[in-house]
Amino acid sequence: MGLFGRKNTESATAVATLPVDPALAALTGDYTIDPAHSSIGFTVRHAMVTNVRGTFAEHEGTLKLDGTDPGASTASIDVRIASVDTGIADRDGHLRGGDFFDAERFPLMTFRSTRAEQLGGDAYRITGDLTIKDVTRPLSIDLEFNGTATDVYGNERVGFEGSAEILRSEWGLTWNAALETGGVMVSDKVKLNFDISAIKNAA
């Protein structure tokens, strides 16, 4: 079921005449991300030999799904940097400080979508602007649509999970330390992970 625009080479006239999937059309609306049932995190290589995983406990965002014009669907997410949690207090403090995120000066990491497309089946890609500190660069996130459900409180939910890889240096996160055995303490490549549950707003 296509939530976002599908790539094709047909003319605009031909695309306009395609029938609308009723199930897709029913999803049209504004949604609020449920932070209690969503996760935004990262994985980064440490000391060249293992992975460190972390999450951002505080985040909020919205989705706008358009079932009759899927390419018009959008996403907006704000992440509070000070909520970073890797399970080690000293490491979290270092990440919040000036060597990394400088959370006091730049409290939010933000994503604003600019394009969405279906890759096939339930696979999608959403592209937008990711801002960390004072640097904004494009980012594409590959997503899988996990479906819809009505929860026990009557909320209509949609779910997505996805990931993306970035080079942190491209956003000004350049701190590192050389290892005596060669290599560096923290890899430049970081994997971002998203597990999103969003509730449809009341009409």
Side-chain angles (χ1 to χ4, degrees):
M1 183 164 55
L3 290 178
F4 301 113
R6 180 189 292 274
K7 290 182 179 178
N8 62 66
T9 57
E10 297 175 290
S11 68
T13 300
V15 172
T17 62
L18 292 176
V20 174
D21 182 343
L24 174 61
L27 297 180
T28 295
D30 296 326
Y31 292 75
T32 299
I33 292 175
D34 176 9
H37 297 94
S38 300
S39 175
I40 297 177
F42 60 90
T43 304
V44 62
R45 182 76 70 178
H46 176 262
M48 309 294 291
V49 297
T50 191
N51 289 320
V52 168
R53 294 174 174 83
T55 60
F56 294 95
E58 297 179 22
H59 51 83
E60 59 185 19
T62 59
L63 307 177
K64 184 178 182 65
L65 302 183
D66 191 330
T68 59
D69 182 12
S73 298
T74 61
S76 175
I77 300 174
D78 293 343
V79 176
R80 189 158 296 279
I81 292 298
S83 70
V84 65
D85 182 5
T86 65
I88 303 294
D90 287 347
R91 181 165 58 207
D92 296 343
H94 192 196
L95 289 172
R96 295 184 189 108
D99 283 343
F100 283 96
F101 290 111
D102 199 356
E104 187 170 332
R105 293 179 59 206
F106 306 102
L108 294 179
M109 173 172 61
T110 66
F111 177 79
R112 301 290 184 266
S113 69
T114 57
R115 182 185 180 193
E117 57 190 312
Q118 184 180 14
L119 303 179
D122 288 331
Y124 301 88
R125 178 170 295 144
I126 189 162
T127 299
D129 294 324
L130 176 67
T131 300
I132 302 175
K133 299 175 77 170
D134 56 352
V135 178
T136 300
R137 294 180 56 86
L139 174 70
S140 291
I141 304 170
D142 288 336
L143 296 167
E144 181 177 356
F145 176 51
N146 288 337
T148 66
T150 301
D151 66 23
V152 295
Y153 303 105
N155 298 312
E156 296 181 55
R157 292 180 179 266
V158 294
F160 297 89
E161 60 181 307
S163 62
E165 287 188 352
I166 67 170
L167 298 178
R168 61 187 178 90
S169 60
E170 293 184 345
W171 277 267
L173 303 176
T174 57
W175 183 90
N176 228 322
L179 302 175
E180 291 184 4
T181 53
V184 292
M185 181 70 74
V186 184
S187 69
D188 192 20
K189 184 169 69 176
V190 180
K191 182 177 181 181
L192 304 178
N193 306 298
F194 305 87
D195 200 341
I196 301 297
S197 178
I199 297 172
K200 192 173 188 178
N201 299 346

